[in-house]
Amino acid sequence: DDPGWTQPWGGTSPTWHKRGDQYYYGIFWGGMPDFNFRNPEVMAEAKAIARHWLDRGVDGFRLDAARHLIESGPGQQQNDTPETHEAWRDFSAFMRAEYPDRLMLGEIWADSPEIAPYYGDIKAVAGGDEFAMTFNFPLAGGAIQAVNLADSGPLVAALTKVRTLYPAGVLDGTFLANHDMTRLATQPGTDPAKVRPAVAVLMTLPGTPWLDYGEEVGMLNGPTGDDEDKRTPMPWTDSDSGFTAGVPWHRFAPGRETANVAAQLEDPGSLLSRYRQLIHQRTSQAALSHGDLVPVQLNGAPRDVVAWERISGMSRLLVIHNLSGEAQTATWATDGTGGYELVFGDPGVGLPAAGGITMPAHATGIWRVF
């Protein structure tokens, strides 16, 4: 029958759909029926499908819409049910037992209080007995909002939620935009300069940064808000499809003349080079790749500048981001630190002196503290 449920995120779209004289459940739309994971044979088949791809060598799975796996009623009873958590614990146990080196990554598009429980019990299993990693949607939103507003407040608030709500020691999947979102280079509006500090924020935060293809060259969104215009072909060059002479499945996004790999590959000032330089720092600096984050309190608490230290063992890095379009001076209380060595800096970024530095517009600096 049709119990009359609508989608839990609002609106009037039904989740039960008619076929013949019966109805089937499909939370997203009628063309995407949901599996019934209450049936153990269905879960067994899901594991068999997973084995097929894991045996072929995939590194793991991004598991979509993870909070909607098993529904128990209308409205919010289609989200985060105990049966959903139980099912993910089952699937996670299978992954750990048979493929312990593969990643189980959860897409829970919600706020931090709803995301955090999907790690499960960290006492039963180190890192949690459900997902090994989850995407941090609130942090992505906070970072982009901070850059757009030149206000560190949303970013600091998102980081505070991670520290207070996430289980200790779990893996955080950080990102700025994904294949369901308007592309990053389009989100900051007409000022492409704002993309550069957003990238630097992502690459200097704890966690594992994820990039949607094309973000590294500043690929724009297509002209509509449709999913297809968020997933246009990769711009390898300004004139062809890159690896093939075939016809692309969809038109390219605008801006391809400069937002392509060939145009940026040898330009040290390009966005692609910025990503590569910051990725290099993450792989070569233990404090950036898996160090703790310790906020740095700036004198006067300016909202358009944000600073933190990344610390791993004896390795200690100071990171400062100027989120504004104007030069800003930041000062902080020193602790008798001997000095600083510049590890990464935008043009015009020098060395801090006497607990202070003037940062150019939209600039980032990373210094080794000794």
Side-chain angles (χ1 to χ4, degrees):
D1 60 5
D2 178 9
W5 307 352
T6 56
Q7 292 171 320
W9 44 85
T12 58
S13 297
T15 60
W16 288 89
H17 311 276
K18 192 171 185 178
R19 185 178 180 90
D21 295 328
Q22 296 179 311
Y23 292 84
Y24 61 91
Y25 181 76
I27 190 172
F28 286 97
W29 65 300
M32 191 182 293
D34 282 39
F35 290 144
N36 178 10
F37 281 105
R38 284 191 173 88
N39 185 333
E41 294 182 15
V42 174
M43 179 59 82
E45 180 65 16
K47 293 174 183 176
I49 294 169
R51 277 191 199 93
H52 170 81
W53 293 106
L54 292 163
D55 289 343
R56 294 187 69 171
V58 303
D59 291 321
F61 301 108
R62 167 200 175 275
L63 292 156
D64 187 79
R67 65 190 304 223
H68 306 298
L69 197 66
I70 299 177
E71 67 291 339
S72 61
Q76 292 301 310
Q77 296 175 72
Q78 296 168 93
N79 301 334
D80 312 320
T81 62
E83 295 90 347
T84 290
H85 284 282
E86 182 180 351
W88 287 128
R89 284 193 294 273
D90 180 20
F91 194 83
S92 179
F94 146 72
M95 290 279 288
R96 291 194 308 274
E98 299 188 27
Y99 304 91
D101 60 342
R102 314 299 175 90
L103 180 65
M104 185 171 156
L105 172 64
E107 190 245 27
I108 300 101
W109 199 329
D111 202 359
S112 299
E114 288 76 43
I115 296 173
Y118 280 90
Y119 286 102
D121 186 353
I122 63 171
K123 295 179 180 178
V125 174
D129 65 350
E130 291 187 41
F131 285 98
M133 182 185 294
T134 65
F135 278 125
N136 197 328
F137 285 88
L139 186 56
I144 293 174
Q145 189 177 11
V147 170
N148 280 339
L149 300 176
D151 182 349
S152 61
L155 173 60
V156 172
L159 287 170
T160 299
K161 286 184 178 181
V162 172
R163 288 198 300 273
T164 57
L165 296 173
Y166 279 35
V170 298
L171 302 177
D172 193 9
T174 57
F175 71 104
L176 293 172
N178 69 17
H179 65 286
D180 289 320
M181 298 175 171
T182 300
R183 284 195 170 272
L184 176 64
T186 303
Q187 286 192 45
T190 58
D191 188 354
K194 292 182 179 180
V195 174
R196 301 179 73 83
V199 170
V201 166
L202 172 67
M203 290 298 172
T204 56
L205 286 172
T208 301
W210 293 77
L211 308 181
D212 191 17
Y213 77 94
E215 294 296 288
E216 66 271 50
V217 294
M219 185 174 169
L220 296 173
N221 219 68
T224 77
D226 296 340
D227 284 346
E228 291 82 359
D229 273 332
K230 301 169 184 173
R231 307 167 190 173
T232 56
M234 177 69 187
W236 295 100
T237 72
D238 63 358
S239 59
D240 59 42
S241 302
F243 289 120
T244 176
V247 178
W249 76 277
H250 195 275
R251 64 183 179 274
F252 284 88
R256 183 187 177 199
E257 297 76 20
T258 55
N260 70 77
V261 175
Q264 298 188 23
L265 194 58
E266 303 302 328
D267 177 3
S270 70
L271 187 63
L272 176 59
S273 293
R274 185 176 188 78
Y275 268 107
R276 297 178 78 181
Q277 292 160 9
L278 287 164
I279 290 171
H280 171 71
Q281 293 301 328
R282 286 190 68 90
T283 58
S284 59
Q285 304 285 343
L288 277 184
S289 60
H290 45 271
D292 294 330
L293 183 148
V294 178
V296 172
Q297 183 65 45
L298 299 177
N299 296 331
R303 297 184 70 88
D304 46 13
V305 181
V306 64
W308 52 69
E309 288 190 347
R310 299 293 310 279
I311 301 173
S312 177
M314 299 300 293
S315 177
R316 179 181 172 192
L317 298 177
L318 171 66
V319 179
I320 301 178
H321 303 286
N322 179 6
L323 305 177
S324 79
E326 299 178 357
Q328 301 291 339
T329 298
T331 62
W332 58 93
T334 61
D335 58 0
T337 299
Y340 302 91
E341 176 189 358
L342 186 64
V343 171
F344 172 89
D346 285 313
V349 173
L351 294 176
I357 189 170
T358 298
M359 299 286 292
H362 292 139
T364 289
I366 306 173
W367 301 267
R368 182 175 292 108
V369 182
F370 58 88

mmCIF file of all heavy atoms in Angstrom, residues 13 26 28 39 70 74 77 91 105 126 141 148 162 185 224 237 258 282 326 340-341 354 364:
data_model
loop_
_atom_site.group_PDB
_atom_site.id
_atom_site.type_symbol
_atom_site.label_atom_id
_atom_site.label_comp_id
_atom_site.label_asym_id
_atom_site.label_seq_id
_atom_site.Cartn_x
_atom_site.Cartn_y
_atom_site.Cartn_z
ATOM 1 N N SER A 13 7.230 15.611 -2.130
ATOM 2 C CA SER A 13 7.562 14.482 -3.004
ATOM 3 C C SER A 13 7.377 13.167 -2.262
ATOM 4 O O SER A 13 7.863 13.003 -1.134
ATOM 5 C CB SER A 13 9.003 14.596 -3.497
ATOM 6 O OG SER A 13 9.169 15.752 -4.279
ATOM 7 N N GLY A 26 11.145 4.325 -2.579
ATOM 8 C CA GLY A 26 12.293 4.962 -3.212
ATOM 9 C C GLY A 26 12.409 6.368 -2.672
ATOM 10 O O GLY A 26 11.671 7.262 -3.086
ATOM 11 N N PHE A 28 14.546 8.795 -2.925
ATOM 12 C CA PHE A 28 14.987 9.916 -3.741
ATOM 13 C C PHE A 28 14.041 10.205 -4.903
ATOM 14 O O PHE A 28 13.695 11.346 -5.158
ATOM 15 C CB PHE A 28 16.417 9.689 -4.234
ATOM 16 C CG PHE A 28 17.424 9.886 -3.140
ATOM 17 C CD1 PHE A 28 17.927 8.810 -2.434
ATOM 18 C CD2 PHE A 28 17.839 11.155 -2.790
ATOM 19 C CE1 PHE A 28 18.845 8.988 -1.410
ATOM 20 C CE2 PHE A 28 18.744 11.350 -1.768
ATOM 21 C CZ PHE A 28 19.243 10.267 -1.074
ATOM 22 N N ASN A 39 16.268 -7.600 4.845
ATOM 23 C CA ASN A 39 16.351 -8.968 4.319
ATOM 24 C C ASN A 39 17.824 -9.386 4.293
ATOM 25 O O ASN A 39 18.629 -8.787 3.573
ATOM 26 C CB ASN A 39 15.759 -9.005 2.911
ATOM 27 C CG ASN A 39 15.698 -10.404 2.337
ATOM 28 O OD1 ASN A 39 16.490 -11.271 2.695
ATOM 29 N ND2 ASN A 39 14.757 -10.629 1.422
ATOM 30 N N ILE A 70 17.935 2.216 6.144
ATOM 31 C CA ILE A 70 16.736 1.471 6.568
ATOM 32 C C ILE A 70 15.777 2.444 7.251
ATOM 33 O O ILE A 70 16.123 3.084 8.246
ATOM 34 C CB ILE A 70 17.093 0.319 7.528
ATOM 35 C CG1 ILE A 70 18.022 -0.670 6.833
ATOM 36 C CG2 ILE A 70 15.828 -0.386 8.015
ATOM 37 C CD1 ILE A 70 18.488 -1.809 7.720
ATOM 38 N N PRO A 74 7.493 7.549 8.656
ATOM 39 C CA PRO A 74 7.529 8.783 7.880
ATOM 40 C C PRO A 74 8.484 9.808 8.465
ATOM 41 O O PRO A 74 9.012 9.644 9.577
ATOM 42 C CB PRO A 74 6.081 9.277 7.967
ATOM 43 C CG PRO A 74 5.597 8.746 9.283
ATOM 44 C CD PRO A 74 6.261 7.410 9.451
ATOM 45 N N GLN A 77 11.899 9.511 10.593
ATOM 46 C CA GLN A 77 12.127 8.077 10.785
ATOM 47 C C GLN A 77 12.743 7.424 9.539
ATOM 48 O O GLN A 77 13.022 6.220 9.544
ATOM 49 C CB GLN A 77 10.814 7.386 11.146
ATOM 50 C CG GLN A 77 10.229 7.843 12.473
ATOM 51 C CD GLN A 77 8.874 7.218 12.746
ATOM 52 O OE1 GLN A 77 8.781 6.026 13.040
ATOM 53 N NE2 GLN A 77 7.816 8.016 12.637
ATOM 54 N N PHE A 91 28.179 -4.464 7.803
ATOM 55 C CA PHE A 91 28.980 -4.315 6.587
ATOM 56 C C PHE A 91 30.430 -3.959 6.927
ATOM 57 O O PHE A 91 31.376 -4.441 6.299
ATOM 58 C CB PHE A 91 28.374 -3.227 5.690
ATOM 59 C CG PHE A 91 28.922 -3.232 4.300
ATOM 60 C CD1 PHE A 91 28.429 -4.090 3.331
ATOM 61 C CD2 PHE A 91 29.946 -2.362 3.939
ATOM 62 C CE1 PHE A 91 28.932 -4.099 2.045
ATOM 63 C CE2 PHE A 91 30.463 -2.365 2.662
ATOM 64 C CZ PHE A 91 29.953 -3.229 1.705
ATOM 65 N N LEU A 105 34.035 4.696 3.449
ATOM 66 C CA LEU A 105 33.839 6.132 3.593
ATOM 67 C C LEU A 105 32.358 6.466 3.508
ATOM 68 O O LEU A 105 31.692 6.105 2.534
ATOM 69 C CB LEU A 105 34.614 6.861 2.491
ATOM 70 C CG LEU A 105 34.410 8.360 2.312
ATOM 71 C CD1 LEU A 105 34.876 9.121 3.546
ATOM 72 C CD2 LEU A 105 35.167 8.845 1.083
ATOM 73 N N ALA A 126 39.180 0.250 17.091
ATOM 74 C CA ALA A 126 39.931 1.496 16.961
ATOM 75 C C ALA A 126 39.473 2.245 15.722
ATOM 76 O O ALA A 126 39.434 1.697 14.624
ATOM 77 C CB ALA A 126 41.425 1.202 16.871
ATOM 78 N N GLY A 141 31.241 23.691 4.350
ATOM 79 C CA GLY A 141 30.423 24.898 4.327
ATOM 80 C C GLY A 141 31.036 26.026 5.120
ATOM 81 O O GLY A 141 31.015 27.191 4.696
ATOM 82 N N ASN A 148 34.253 33.516 1.698
ATOM 83 C CA ASN A 148 33.351 34.437 1.001
ATOM 84 C C ASN A 148 33.074 35.700 1.804
ATOM 85 O O ASN A 148 32.966 36.795 1.247
ATOM 86 C CB ASN A 148 32.024 33.738 0.683
ATOM 87 C CG ASN A 148 32.127 32.853 -0.540
ATOM 88 O OD1 ASN A 148 33.011 33.021 -1.364
ATOM 89 N ND2 ASN A 148 31.226 31.904 -0.652
ATOM 90 N N VAL A 162 33.839 19.684 15.404
ATOM 91 C CA VAL A 162 34.631 18.464 15.199
ATOM 92 C C VAL A 162 35.326 18.068 16.497
ATOM 93 O O VAL A 162 35.297 16.899 16.909
ATOM 94 C CB VAL A 162 35.667 18.675 14.074
ATOM 95 C CG1 VAL A 162 36.629 17.486 13.993
ATOM 96 C CG2 VAL A 162 34.958 18.868 12.733
ATOM 97 N N ALA A 185 34.889 27.028 -7.856
ATOM 98 C CA ALA A 185 35.257 28.259 -8.553
ATOM 99 C C ALA A 185 34.044 29.099 -8.906
ATOM 100 O O ALA A 185 34.169 30.294 -9.169
ATOM 101 C CB ALA A 185 36.047 27.926 -9.816
ATOM 102 N N THR A 224 23.633 25.640 -15.819
ATOM 103 C CA THR A 224 22.425 25.343 -15.054
ATOM 104 C C THR A 224 22.798 24.728 -13.715
ATOM 105 O O THR A 224 23.954 24.407 -13.457
ATOM 106 C CB THR A 224 21.498 24.376 -15.809
ATOM 107 O OG1 THR A 224 22.021 23.029 -15.699
ATOM 108 C CG2 THR A 224 21.366 24.751 -17.283
ATOM 109 N N THR A 237 42.748 20.062 -22.067
ATOM 110 C CA THR A 237 43.301 21.107 -22.918
ATOM 111 C C THR A 237 42.186 22.089 -23.250
ATOM 112 O O THR A 237 41.047 21.917 -22.823
ATOM 113 C CB THR A 237 43.875 20.521 -24.225
ATOM 114 O OG1 THR A 237 42.788 20.104 -25.065
ATOM 115 C CG2 THR A 237 44.789 19.328 -23.944
ATOM 116 N N THR A 258 41.224 28.809 -20.104
ATOM 117 C CA THR A 258 42.290 28.925 -19.098
ATOM 118 C C THR A 258 42.174 27.877 -18.000
ATOM 119 O O THR A 258 43.179 27.527 -17.378
ATOM 120 C CB THR A 258 42.263 30.324 -18.451
ATOM 121 O OG1 THR A 258 40.956 30.569 -17.920
ATOM 122 C CG2 THR A 258 42.594 31.395 -19.487
ATOM 123 N N ARG A 282 51.916 18.668 2.378
ATOM 124 C CA ARG A 282 51.226 17.683 3.226
ATOM 125 C C ARG A 282 51.984 16.363 3.266
ATOM 126 O O ARG A 282 52.042 15.699 4.302
ATOM 127 C CB ARG A 282 49.807 17.441 2.724
ATOM 128 C CG ARG A 282 48.837 18.564 3.011
ATOM 129 C CD ARG A 282 47.418 18.128 2.697
ATOM 130 N NE ARG A 282 46.944 17.107 3.625
ATOM 131 C CZ ARG A 282 46.309 17.358 4.755
ATOM 132 N NH1 ARG A 282 46.065 18.611 5.123
ATOM 133 N NH2 ARG A 282 45.900 16.375 5.526
ATOM 134 N N GLU A 326 42.356 42.583 1.462
ATOM 135 C CA GLU A 326 43.302 43.638 1.797
ATOM 136 C C GLU A 326 44.377 43.077 2.721
ATOM 137 O O GLU A 326 44.155 42.091 3.433
ATOM 138 C CB GLU A 326 42.583 44.802 2.493
ATOM 139 C CG GLU A 326 41.501 45.455 1.635
ATOM 140 C CD GLU A 326 40.786 46.566 2.387
ATOM 141 O OE1 GLU A 326 41.098 46.773 3.582
ATOM 142 O OE2 GLU A 326 39.902 47.208 1.783
ATOM 143 N N TYR A 340 61.451 31.276 13.158
ATOM 144 C CA TYR A 340 60.562 30.727 12.152
ATOM 145 C C TYR A 340 61.321 30.498 10.854
ATOM 146 O O TYR A 340 62.219 31.264 10.491
ATOM 147 C CB TYR A 340 59.402 31.691 11.874
ATOM 148 C CG TYR A 340 58.562 32.033 13.073
ATOM 149 C CD1 TYR A 340 58.866 33.139 13.870
ATOM 150 C CD2 TYR A 340 57.458 31.259 13.412
ATOM 151 C CE1 TYR A 340 58.085 33.455 14.971
ATOM 152 C CE2 TYR A 340 56.670 31.569 14.516
ATOM 153 C CZ TYR A 340 56.994 32.675 15.287
ATOM 154 O OH TYR A 340 56.224 32.984 16.373
ATOM 155 N N GLU A 341 60.929 29.450 10.162
ATOM 156 C CA GLU A 341 61.455 29.165 8.823
ATOM 157 C C GLU A 341 60.269 29.028 7.870
ATOM 158 O O GLU A 341 59.360 28.233 8.124
ATOM 159 C CB GLU A 341 62.272 27.870 8.820
ATOM 160 C CG GLU A 341 62.769 27.469 7.441
ATOM 161 C CD GLU A 341 63.389 26.083 7.432
ATOM 162 O OE1 GLU A 341 63.464 25.449 8.503
ATOM 163 O OE2 GLU A 341 63.790 25.635 6.337
ATOM 164 N N ALA A 354 58.658 39.284 16.324
ATOM 165 C CA ALA A 354 58.098 39.737 17.603
ATOM 166 C C ALA A 354 56.612 39.411 17.717
ATOM 167 O O ALA A 354 55.807 40.225 18.171
ATOM 168 C CB ALA A 354 58.327 41.233 17.779
ATOM 169 N N THR A 364 48.432 33.095 2.280
ATOM 170 C CA THR A 364 48.668 32.054 3.279
ATOM 171 C C THR A 364 50.159 31.943 3.541
ATOM 172 O O THR A 364 50.978 32.061 2.610
ATOM 173 C CB THR A 364 48.130 30.704 2.787
ATOM 174 O OG1 THR A 364 46.706 30.717 2.798
ATOM 175 C CG2 THR A 364 48.611 29.537 3.659
#
